Coordinates of all heavy atoms in Angstrom, one line a residue:
V14 N 0.9 -1.2 0.0 CA 0.0 0.0 0.1 C 0.9 1.2 0.0 O 1.8 1.3 0.8 CB -0.9 0.0 1.3 CG1 -1.7 1.3 1.3 CG2 -1.7 -1.1 1.3
L15 N 0.6 2.1 -1.0 CA 1.4 3.3 -1.1 C 0.7 4.5 -0.4 O -0.6 4.7 -0.6 CB 1.6 3.7 -2.5 CG 2.4 2.8 -3.3 CD1 2.5 3.2 -4.8 CD2 3.9 2.8 -2.8
A16 N 1.3 5.2 0.5 CA 0.7 6.4 1.2 C 1.1 7.7 0.4 O 2.2 7.8 0.0 CB 1.3 6.4 2.6
R17 N 0.1 8.5 0.2 CA 0.4 9.7 -0.4 C 0.6 10.8 0.6 O -0.1 10.9 1.6 CB -0.8 10.1 -1.3 CG -1.0 9.2 -2.5 CD -2.1 9.7 -3.3 NE -2.3 8.9 -4.4 CZ -3.4 9.0 -5.3 NH1 -4.2 9.9 -5.2 NH2 -3.4 8.2 -6.3
S18 N 1.6 11.6 0.3 CA 1.9 12.7 1.3 C 1.1 13.9 0.8 O 0.7 14.0 -0.2 CB 3.4 12.9 1.3 OG 3.8 13.5 0.1
S19 N 1.0 14.9 1.8 CA 0.3 16.1 1.5 C 1.0 16.9 0.4 O 0.4 17.6 -0.4 CB 0.1 16.9 2.6 OG 1.4 17.3 3.2
S20 N 2.3 16.8 0.3 CA 3.1 17.5 -0.7 C 2.7 17.0 -2.2 O 2.8 17.6 -3.1 CB 4.6 17.5 -0.5 OG 5.0 16.1 -0.5
F21 N 2.5 15.7 -2.2 CA 2.1 15.1 -3.5 C 0.8 15.6 -4.0 O 0.6 15.9 -5.2 CB 2.0 13.5 -3.4 CG 1.7 12.9 -4.6 CD1 2.5 12.7 -5.6 CD2 0.4 12.4 -4.8 CE1 2.2 12.0 -6.8 CE2 0.0 11.7 -5.9 CZ 0.8 11.5 -7.0
R22 N -0.2 15.8 -3.1 CA -1.5 16.3 -3.5 C -1.4 17.8 -3.9 O -2.0 18.2 -4.9 CB -2.4 16.3 -2.4 CG -2.9 14.9 -2.0 CD -3.9 14.9 -1.0 NE -4.1 13.5 -0.5 CZ -4.3 13.2 0.7 NH1 -4.4 14.2 1.7 NH2 -4.6 12.0 1.1
V23 N -0.5 18.5 -3.4 CA -0.4 20.0 -3.7 C 0.3 20.0 -5.1 O -0.1 20.8 -5.9 CB 0.5 20.7 -2.7 CG1 0.8 22.1 -3.2 CG2 -0.3 20.8 -1.4
A24 N 1.2 19.1 -5.3 CA 1.8 19.2 -6.7 C 1.0 18.8 -7.8 O 1.1 19.2 -8.9 CB 3.1 18.3 -6.7
C25 N 0.0 17.9 -7.6 CA -0.9 17.4 -8.6 C -2.2 18.3 -8.8 O -3.0 18.0 -9.7 CB -1.3 16.0 -8.3 SG 0.1 14.9 -8.5
T26 N -2.4 19.3 -8.0 CA -3.6 20.1 -8.2 C -3.5 20.9 -9.5 O -2.4 21.4 -9.8 CB -3.9 21.0 -7.0 OG1 -2.7 21.8 -6.8 CG2 -4.2 20.2 -5.8
A27 N -4.6 21.2 -10.1 CA -4.6 22.0 -11.3 C -4.4 23.4 -10.9 O -4.7 23.9 -9.8 CB -6.0 21.8 -12.1
P28 N -3.9 24.2 -11.9 CA -3.7 25.6 -11.6 C -5.0 26.3 -11.5 O -6.0 25.9 -12.1 CB -2.9 26.1 -12.8 CG -3.2 25.1 -13.9 CD -3.3 23.9 -13.2
P29 N -5.1 27.4 -10.7 CA -6.4 28.0 -10.5 C -6.9 28.6 -11.9 O -6.1 29.1 -12.7 CB -6.1 29.2 -9.6 CG -4.6 29.4 -9.7 CD -4.0 28.1 -10.0
R30 N -8.2 28.5 -12.1 CA -8.8 28.9 -13.4 C -9.0 30.4 -13.4 O -9.3 31.1 -12.4 CB -10.2 28.3 -13.6 CG -10.1 26.8 -13.8 CD -11.4 26.2 -14.1 NE -11.3 24.8 -14.3 CZ -12.2 24.1 -14.9 NH1 -13.3 24.6 -15.3 NH2 -12.0 22.8 -15.1
R31 N -8.8 31.0 -14.5 CA -8.9 32.4 -14.7 C -10.4 32.8 -15.0 O -11.0 32.0 -15.7 CB -8.1 33.0 -15.7 CG -6.5 32.9 -15.5 CD -5.7 33.4 -16.6 NE -4.3 33.2 -16.3 CZ -3.4 33.4 -17.1 NH1 -3.7 33.9 -18.3 NH2 -2.2 33.2 -16.9
S32 N -10.9 33.8 -14.5 CA -12.3 34.2 -14.7 C -12.4 35.2 -15.8 O -13.4 35.9 -15.9 CB -12.9 34.7 -13.4 OG -12.2 35.9 -13.1
V33 N -11.4 35.3 -16.7 CA -11.5 36.1 -17.8 C -12.0 35.5 -19.0 O -11.5 34.4 -19.4 CB -10.0 36.7 -18.2 CG1 -10.0 37.6 -19.2 CG2 -9.4 37.4 -16.9
F34 N -13.1 36.0 -19.5 CA -13.7 35.4 -20.8 C -13.3 36.2 -22.0 O -13.3 37.4 -21.9 CB -15.2 35.4 -20.6 CG -15.7 34.6 -19.5 CD1 -16.1 35.1 -18.3 CD2 -15.8 33.2 -19.6 CE1 -16.5 34.3 -17.2 CE2 -16.3 32.4 -18.6 CZ -16.6 32.9 -17.4
A35 N -13.0 35.5 -23.0 CA -12.7 36.2 -24.3 C -13.9 36.6 -24.9 O -14.9 35.9 -24.9 CB -11.9 35.2 -25.2
A36 N -13.9 37.8 -25.5 CA -15.1 38.3 -26.1 C -15.4 37.6 -27.4 O -14.5 37.4 -28.2 CB -14.9 39.8 -26.4
M37 N -16.6 37.4 -27.7 CA -17.0 36.6 -29.0 C -17.0 37.7 -30.1 O -17.5 38.8 -30.0 CB -18.3 36.1 -28.9 CG -18.7 35.2 -30.1 SD -20.1 34.2 -29.8 CE -21.3 35.4 -30.4
V38 N -16.3 37.4 -31.2 CA -16.1 38.3 -32.3 C -17.1 37.9 -33.4 O -17.0 36.7 -33.8 CB -14.7 38.4 -32.8 CG1 -14.6 39.3 -34.0 CG2 -13.7 38.9 -31.7
I39 N -17.9 38.7 -33.9 CA -18.8 38.5 -35.0 C -18.4 39.3 -36.2 O -18.3 40.5 -36.0 CB -20.3 38.8 -34.6 CG1 -20.7 37.9 -33.4 CG2 -21.2 38.6 -35.8 CD1 -22.1 38.3 -33.0
K40 N -18.1 38.6 -37.3 CA -17.6 39.4 -38.5 C -18.9 40.0 -39.1 O -19.8 39.4 -39.5 CB -17.0 38.4 -39.4 CG -16.4 39.1 -40.6 CD -15.7 38.1 -41.6 CE -15.2 38.9 -42.7 NZ -14.7 38.1 -43.8
T41 N -18.7 41.3 -39.1 CA -19.8 42.1 -39.9 C -19.2 42.8 -41.1 O -18.0 43.1 -41.2 CB -20.3 43.2 -38.9 OG1 -19.3 44.1 -38.5 CG2 -21.0 42.6 -37.7
E42 N -20.2 43.1 -42.0 CA -19.8 43.8 -43.2 C -20.5 45.2 -43.2 O -21.5 45.2 -42.5 CB -20.1 43.0 -44.4 CG -19.4 41.6 -44.4 CD -19.1 41.0 -45.8 OE1 -19.0 41.8 -46.7 OE2 -18.9 39.9 -45.9
L43 N -20.1 46.0 -44.1 CA -20.8 47.3 -44.3 C -21.7 47.3 -45.5 O -21.3 46.7 -46.5 CB -19.9 48.5 -44.3 CG -19.2 48.9 -43.0 CD1 -18.3 50.1 -43.3 CD2 -20.2 49.3 -42.0
C44 N -22.9 47.8 -45.4 CA -23.8 48.0 -46.5 C -23.1 49.0 -47.5 O -22.7 50.1 -47.0 CB -25.2 48.4 -46.0 SG -26.3 48.7 -47.4
H45 N -23.1 48.7 -48.7 CA -22.5 49.5 -49.7 C -23.3 50.9 -49.8 O -22.6 51.9 -50.1 CB -22.4 48.8 -51.1 CG -21.9 49.6 -52.2 ND1 -20.5 49.7 -52.3 CD2 -22.4 50.3 -53.2 CE1 -20.2 50.5 -53.3 NE2 -21.3 50.9 -53.9
F46 N -24.6 50.8 -49.6 CA -25.4 52.1 -49.8 C -25.6 52.8 -48.5 O -25.3 54.0 -48.6 CB -26.8 51.6 -50.4 CG -27.6 52.7 -50.9 CD1 -27.4 53.2 -52.1 CD2 -28.7 53.1 -50.1 CE1 -28.3 54.2 -52.7 CE2 -29.5 54.1 -50.6 CZ -29.3 54.6 -51.9
T47 N -26.0 52.2 -47.5 CA -26.3 52.9 -46.2 C -25.2 53.0 -45.2 O -25.3 53.8 -44.3 CB -27.5 52.2 -45.6 OG1 -27.1 50.8 -45.2 CG2 -28.7 52.1 -46.4
E48 N -24.2 52.2 -45.4 CA -23.1 52.1 -44.5 C -23.5 51.5 -43.1 O -22.8 51.8 -42.1 CB -22.4 53.3 -44.4 CG -21.8 53.9 -45.7 CD -21.2 55.3 -45.7 OE1 -20.9 55.7 -44.6 OE2 -21.1 55.9 -46.7
Y49 N -24.6 50.9 -43.0 CA -25.0 50.1 -41.8 C -24.2 48.8 -41.7 O -23.8 48.2 -42.7 CB -26.5 49.9 -41.8 CG -27.4 51.1 -41.6 CD1 -28.7 51.0 -42.0 CD2 -26.9 52.2 -41.0 CE1 -29.5 52.1 -41.8 CE2 -27.7 53.4 -40.8 CZ -29.1 53.2 -41.2 OH -29.9 54.3 -41.1
R50 N -24.1 48.4 -40.5 CA -23.4 47.1 -40.3 C -24.4 45.9 -40.6 O -25.5 45.9 -40.2 CB -23.0 46.9 -38.8 CG -21.6 47.4 -38.6 CD -21.1 47.0 -37.3 NE -21.3 48.2 -36.4 CZ -21.5 48.0 -35.0 NH1 -21.4 46.9 -34.5 NH2 -21.7 49.1 -34.3
I51 N -23.9 44.9 -41.3 CA -24.7 43.8 -41.7 C -24.1 42.5 -41.0 O -22.9 42.2 -41.0 CB -24.6 43.5 -43.2 CG1 -25.1 44.7 -43.9 CG2 -25.5 42.3 -43.5 CD1 -25.0 44.6 -45.4
Y52 N -24.9 41.9 -40.2 CA -24.5 40.8 -39.4 C -24.7 39.5 -40.2 O -25.5 39.4 -41.2 CB -25.4 40.7 -38.1 CG -25.0 41.7 -37.2 CD1 -25.5 43.0 -37.1 CD2 -23.9 41.6 -36.2 CE1 -25.1 44.0 -36.3 CE2 -23.5 42.5 -35.3 CZ -24.1 43.7 -35.4 OH -23.7 44.8 -34.5
P53 N -24.1 38.3 -39.9 CA -24.1 37.1 -40.6 C -25.6 36.6 -40.7 O -26.4 36.7 -39.8 CB -23.4 36.1 -39.8 CG -22.4 37.0 -38.9 CD -23.2 38.3 -38.7
G54 N -26.0 36.2 -41.9 CA -27.3 35.7 -42.1 C -28.3 36.7 -42.7 O -29.5 36.5 -42.9
R55 N -27.8 38.0 -42.8 CA -28.6 39.1 -43.3 C -28.0 39.7 -44.6 O -26.9 39.4 -44.9 CB -28.6 40.3 -42.3 CG -29.0 39.8 -40.9 CD -30.5 39.7 -40.8 NE -30.9 39.4 -39.5 CZ -32.1 38.8 -39.3 NH1 -32.9 38.7 -40.2 NH2 -32.5 38.4 -38.1
G56 N -28.8 40.4 -45.3 CA -28.4 41.1 -46.5 C -28.3 40.3 -47.8 O -28.6 39.1 -47.9
Q57 N -28.0 41.0 -48.8 CA -27.9 40.5 -50.2 C -26.6 41.0 -50.8 O -26.2 42.1 -50.6 CB -29.0 41.0 -51.1 CG -30.4 40.5 -50.7 CD -31.4 41.1 -51.7 OE1 -31.1 42.0 -52.4 NE2 -32.6 40.5 -51.7
R58 N -26.0 40.0 -51.5 CA -24.7 40.3 -52.2 C -25.0 40.5 -53.7 O -25.6 39.7 -54.2 CB -23.7 39.2 -52.0 CG -22.3 39.6 -52.4 CD -21.3 38.4 -52.1 NE -21.4 38.1 -50.6 CZ -20.6 38.4 -49.6 NH1 -19.7 39.3 -50.0 NH2 -20.8 38.0 -48.4
F59 N -24.5 41.6 -54.2 CA -24.7 41.8 -55.6 C -23.3 41.9 -56.3 O -22.4 42.7 -55.8 CB -25.5 43.2 -55.9 CG -25.5 43.5 -57.4 CD1 -26.3 42.9 -58.2 CD2 -24.7 44.7 -57.8 CE1 -26.3 43.3 -59.5 CE2 -24.8 45.1 -59.1 CZ -25.5 44.4 -60.0
I60 N -23.1 41.1 -57.4 CA -21.8 41.2 -58.0 C -22.1 41.7 -59.5 O -22.9 41.1 -60.3 CB -21.3 39.8 -58.2 CG1 -21.1 39.2 -56.7 CG2 -20.0 39.8 -58.9 CD1 -20.7 37.8 -56.7
A61 N -21.5 42.8 -59.8 CA -21.7 43.5 -61.1 C -20.9 42.8 -62.1 O -20.1 41.9 -61.9 CB -21.2 44.9 -61.0
K62 N -21.2 43.0 -63.4 CA -20.5 42.5 -64.5 C -18.9 42.6 -64.5 O -18.2 41.8 -65.0 CB -21.1 43.0 -65.9 CG -22.4 42.6 -66.2 CD -22.9 43.1 -67.5 CE -24.3 42.7 -67.8 NZ -24.9 43.2 -69.0
D63 N -18.6 43.7 -63.9 CA -17.2 44.0 -63.9 C -16.5 43.3 -62.7 O -15.2 43.5 -62.5 CB -16.8 45.6 -63.8 CG -17.4 46.2 -62.6 OD1 -18.1 45.6 -61.9 OD2 -17.2 47.4 -62.4
G64 N -17.2 42.6 -61.9 CA -16.7 41.9 -60.8 C -16.7 42.6 -59.4 O -16.3 42.1 -58.4
K65 N -17.2 43.8 -59.4 CA -17.3 44.7 -58.2 C -18.5 44.1 -57.3 O -19.5 43.9 -57.7 CB -17.6 46.1 -58.5 CG -17.5 47.0 -57.3 CD -17.8 48.4 -57.6 CE -17.7 49.3 -56.4 NZ -18.1 50.7 -56.6
V66 N -18.1 43.8 -56.1 CA -19.0 43.2 -55.1 C -19.7 44.3 -54.2 O -19.0 45.1 -53.6 CB -18.4 42.2 -54.2 CG1 -19.3 41.6 -53.2 CG2 -17.7 41.1 -55.1
S67 N -21.0 44.3 -54.1 CA -21.8 45.2 -53.3 C -22.6 44.4 -52.4 O -23.2 43.4 -52.8 CB -22.7 46.2 -54.1 OG -21.9 47.0 -55.0
F68 N -22.6 44.8 -51.1 CA -23.4 44.0 -50.1 C -24.5 45.0 -49.5 O -24.1 46.1 -49.1 CB -22.5 43.6 -49.1 CG -22.9 42.4 -48.3 CD1 -23.3 41.2 -48.9 CD2 -22.8 42.4 -46.9 CE1 -23.8 40.1 -48.3 CE2 -23.3 41.2 -46.2 CZ -23.7 40.1 -46.9
F69 N -25.7 44.6 -49.6 CA -26.8 45.5 -49.2 C -27.6 44.9 -48.0 O -27.7 43.6 -47.9 CB -27.8 45.7 -50.4 CG -27.2 46.3 -51.5 CD1 -27.1 45.5 -52.8 CD2 -26.7 47.5 -51.5 CE1 -26.6 46.1 -53.9 CE2 -26.2 48.1 -52.7 CZ -26.1 47.3 -53.9
I70 N -28.1 45.7 -47.1 CA -28.7 45.2 -45.9 C -30.1 44.8 -46.2 O -30.6 43.8 -45.5 CB -28.7 46.4 -44.8 CG1 -28.9 45.7 -43.5 CG2 -29.5 47.5 -45.2 CD1 -28.6 46.7 -42.3
T71 N -30.9 45.4 -47.1 CA -32.3 45.0 -47.3 C -32.5 45.0 -48.9 O -31.7 45.6 -49.6 CB -33.3 45.9 -46.6 OG1 -33.0 47.2 -47.1 CG2 -33.1 45.9 -45.1
S72 N -33.7 44.5 -49.2 CA -34.1 44.6 -50.7 C -34.4 46.0 -51.0 O -34.3 46.4 -52.2 CB -35.2 43.7 -50.9 OG -36.4 44.0 -50.1
K73 N -34.9 46.8 -50.1 CA -35.2 48.2 -50.3 C -34.0 49.0 -50.7 O -34.0 49.7 -51.7 CB -35.8 48.9 -49.0 CG -36.0 50.3 -49.1 CD -36.4 50.8 -47.7 CE -36.5 52.3 -47.6 NZ -36.9 52.8 -46.3
V74 N -32.9 48.7 -50.1 CA -31.6 49.4 -50.3 C -31.1 48.9 -51.7 O -30.6 49.7 -52.5 CB -30.5 49.1 -49.3 CG1 -29.2 49.6 -49.6 CG2 -31.0 49.7 -47.9
D75 N -31.2 47.6 -52.0 CA -30.8 47.1 -53.2 C -31.6 47.7 -54.4 O -31.0 48.1 -55.4 CB -31.1 45.5 -53.3 CG -30.6 44.8 -54.5 OD1 -29.6 45.3 -55.1 OD2 -31.2 43.9 -54.9
S76 N -32.9 47.9 -54.2 CA -33.8 48.6 -55.2 C -33.4 50.0 -55.4 O -33.2 50.5 -56.6 CB -35.2 48.5 -54.7 OG -36.0 49.2 -55.6
L77 N -33.1 50.8 -54.3 CA -32.7 52.1 -54.5 C -31.4 52.2 -55.2 O -31.1 53.2 -56.0 CB -32.6 52.8 -53.1 CG -34.0 53.0 -52.4 CD1 -33.7 53.4 -51.0 CD2 -34.8 54.1 -53.1
F78 N -30.4 51.3 -54.9 CA -29.1 51.4 -55.6 C -29.3 51.2 -57.1 O -28.6 51.9 -57.9 CB -28.2 50.3 -55.0 CG -26.9 50.1 -55.7 CD1 -25.8 51.0 -55.4 CD2 -26.7 49.1 -56.6 CE1 -24.7 50.8 -56.0 CE2 -25.5 49.0 -57.3 CZ -24.5 49.8 -57.0
H79 N -30.1 50.2 -57.5 CA -30.4 49.9 -58.9 C -31.2 51.0 -59.6 O -31.1 51.1 -60.8 CB -30.9 48.6 -59.1 CG -29.9 47.5 -58.8 ND1 -29.9 46.8 -57.6 CD2 -28.9 46.9 -59.6 CE1 -28.9 46.0 -57.7 NE2 -28.3 46.0 -58.9
Q80 N -31.9 51.8 -58.8 CA -32.6 52.9 -59.4 C -31.7 54.2 -59.5 O -32.1 55.2 -60.0 CB -33.8 53.4 -58.6 CG -34.9 52.3 -58.5 CD -36.0 52.7 -57.6 OE1 -36.5 53.8 -57.6 NE2 -36.5 51.8 -56.8
R81 N -30.5 54.0 -59.1 CA -29.5 55.1 -59.1 C -29.8 56.3 -58.2 O -29.5 57.5 -58.6 CB -29.1 55.5 -60.5 CG -28.5 54.4 -61.3 CD -28.2 54.8 -62.8 NE -27.8 53.5 -63.5 CZ -26.6 53.5 -64.0 NH1 -25.7 54.4 -63.9 NH2 -26.3 52.4 -64.7
I82 N -30.5 56.1 -57.1 CA -30.9 57.1 -56.2 C -29.7 57.3 -55.3 O -29.2 56.3 -54.7 CB -32.2 56.8 -55.5 CG1 -33.4 56.8 -56.5 CG2 -32.4 57.8 -54.4 CD1 -34.6 56.4 -55.9
K83 N -29.2 58.5 -55.1 CA -28.1 58.8 -54.3 C -28.4 58.6 -52.8 O -29.4 59.1 -52.3 CB -27.5 60.2 -54.6 CG -27.1 60.3 -55.9 CD -26.5 61.7 -56.2 CE -26.1 61.9 -57.6 NZ -25.6 63.2 -58.0
A84 N -27.6 58.0 -52.1 CA -27.7 57.8 -50.6 C -27.7 59.1 -49.9 O -28.3 59.3 -48.8 CB -26.7 56.9 -50.1
V85 N -26.9 60.1 -50.4 CA -26.8 61.4 -49.8 C -28.2 62.2 -49.7 O -28.3 62.9 -48.8 CB -25.8 62.3 -50.6 CG1 -25.6 63.6 -50.0 CG2 -24.5 61.6 -50.6
K86 N -29.1 61.8 -50.6 CA -30.3 62.5 -50.6 C -31.4 61.9 -49.7 O -32.5 62.4 -49.6 CB -30.9 62.6 -52.0 CG -30.0 63.5 -53.0 CD -30.7 63.7 -54.3 CE -29.8 64.6 -55.2 NZ -30.4 64.8 -56.5
L87 N -31.0 60.7 -49.1 CA -32.0 60.0 -48.2 C -31.6 60.2 -46.8 O -30.5 60.0 -46.3 CB -32.0 58.6 -48.6 CG -32.4 58.2 -49.9 CD1 -32.1 56.7 -50.2 CD2 -33.8 58.6 -50.2
R88 N -32.6 60.8 -46.0 CA -32.2 61.3 -44.7 C -31.9 60.1 -43.7 O -31.2 60.4 -42.7 CB -33.4 62.0 -44.1 CG -33.8 63.3 -44.8 CD -34.9 64.0 -44.2 NE -34.6 64.4 -42.8 CZ -35.4 64.9 -42.0 NH1 -36.7 65.0 -42.3 NH2 -35.2 65.2 -40.7
W89 N -32.3 58.9 -43.9 CA -32.0 57.8 -43.0 C -30.7 57.1 -43.3 O -30.4 56.2 -42.6 CB -33.2 56.8 -43.1 CG -33.5 56.3 -44.4 CD1 -34.4 56.9 -45.3 CD2 -33.0 55.1 -45.1 NE1 -34.4 56.2 -46.5 CE2 -33.6 55.1 -46.4 CE3 -32.0 54.2 -44.7 CZ2 -33.3 54.1 -47.3 CZ3 -31.8 53.2 -45.6 CH2 -32.4 53.2 -46.9
T90 N -29.9 57.5 -44.3 CA -28.6 56.9 -44.5 C -27.5 57.6 -43.8 O -27.6 58.8 -43.4 CB -28.3 56.9 -46.0 OG1 -28.3 58.2 -46.5 CG2 -29.4 56.1 -46.8
Q91 N -26.4 56.9 -43.6 CA -25.3 57.5 -42.9 C -24.6 58.6 -43.8 O -24.1 59.6 -43.3 CB -24.2 56.4 -42.7 CG -24.6 55.5 -41.6 CD -24.7 56.1 -40.3 OE1 -24.0 57.0 -39.9 NE2 -25.7 55.6 -39.4
A92 N -24.7 58.5 -45.2 CA -24.2 59.4 -46.0 C -24.8 60.8 -45.9 O -24.2 61.8 -46.0 CB -24.2 58.9 -47.5
W93 N -26.1 60.8 -45.7 CA -26.8 62.1 -45.4 C -26.4 62.7 -44.2 O -26.4 64.0 -44.1 CB -28.4 61.8 -45.4 CG -29.2 63.1 -45.3 CD1 -29.5 63.8 -46.4 CD2 -29.7 63.7 -44.1 NE1 -30.2 64.9 -45.9 CE2 -30.4 64.8 -44.5 CE3 -29.6 63.3 -42.8 CZ2 -31.0 65.7 -43.6 CZ3 -30.3 64.1 -41.9 CH2 -30.9 65.3 -42.3
R94 N -26.1 61.9 -43.2 CA -25.7 62.6 -41.9 C -24.3 63.2 -41.9 O -24.0 63.9 -41.0 CB -25.8 61.5 -40.8 CG -27.1 61.0 -40.6 CD -27.2 59.8 -39.7 NE -28.6 59.3 -39.6 CZ -29.0 58.2 -38.9 NH1 -28.0 57.5 -38.3 NH2 -30.2 57.8 -39.0
R95 N -23.5 62.9 -42.8 CA -22.1 63.5 -42.8 C -22.1 64.8 -43.5 O -22.9 65.3 -44.2 CB -21.2 62.5 -43.7 CG -21.0 61.3 -42.9 CD -19.8 60.5 -43.4 NE -19.6 59.4 -42.5 CZ -19.7 58.1 -42.9 NH1 -20.0 57.8 -44.1 NH2 -19.5 57.2 -42.0

């Protein structure tokens, strides 16, 4: 029978856990028209014939972009606020 000493138990204990949690990072993209943040699972991606990629937050924004309406003239866009 092997007897364990108290120093053996201290040496085998796990180091204390840290209570620091890493922040979860969510990759967001910017809407090409409104400059709002688009979270995963949202938005529409439009790829033009020349290969330029535009990412829109809603179908409303997509429609306004294709009608060639300027974002600066719409009060609810970030471009108007600048």
Side-chain angles (χ1 to χ4, degrees):
V14 178
L15 296 174
R17 293 185 178 172
S18 65
S19 63
S20 63
F21 178 76
R22 287 186 194 143
V23 172
C25 290
T26 58
R30 293 186 180 195
R31 295 181 185 174
S32 63
V33 178
F34 294 101
M37 189 171 87
V38 178
I39 298 174
K40 185 178 180 189
T41 58
E42 303 209 21
L43 284 179
C44 177
H45 180 77
F46 192 79
T47 62
E48 300 175 22
Y49 289 158
R50 271 191 262 153
I51 304 174
Y52 288 91
R55 305 281 179 198
Q57 293 180 344
R58 191 177 307 263
F59 172 72
I60 303 172
K62 288 181 182 177
D63 62 353
K65 185 177 179 185
V66 178
S67 299
F68 205 50
F69 303 115
I70 196 164
T71 60
S72 59
K73 172 184 174 180
V74 173
D75 184 32
S76 176
L77 291 169
F78 175 80
H79 286 97
Q80 292 175 46
R81 298 178 187 244
I82 294 175
K83 295 179 182 177
V85 178
K86 294 187 176 183
L87 300 172
R88 294 180 64 190
W89 52 271
T90 62
Q91 292 294 327
W93 184 82
R94 295 175 186 170
R95 290 195 176 118

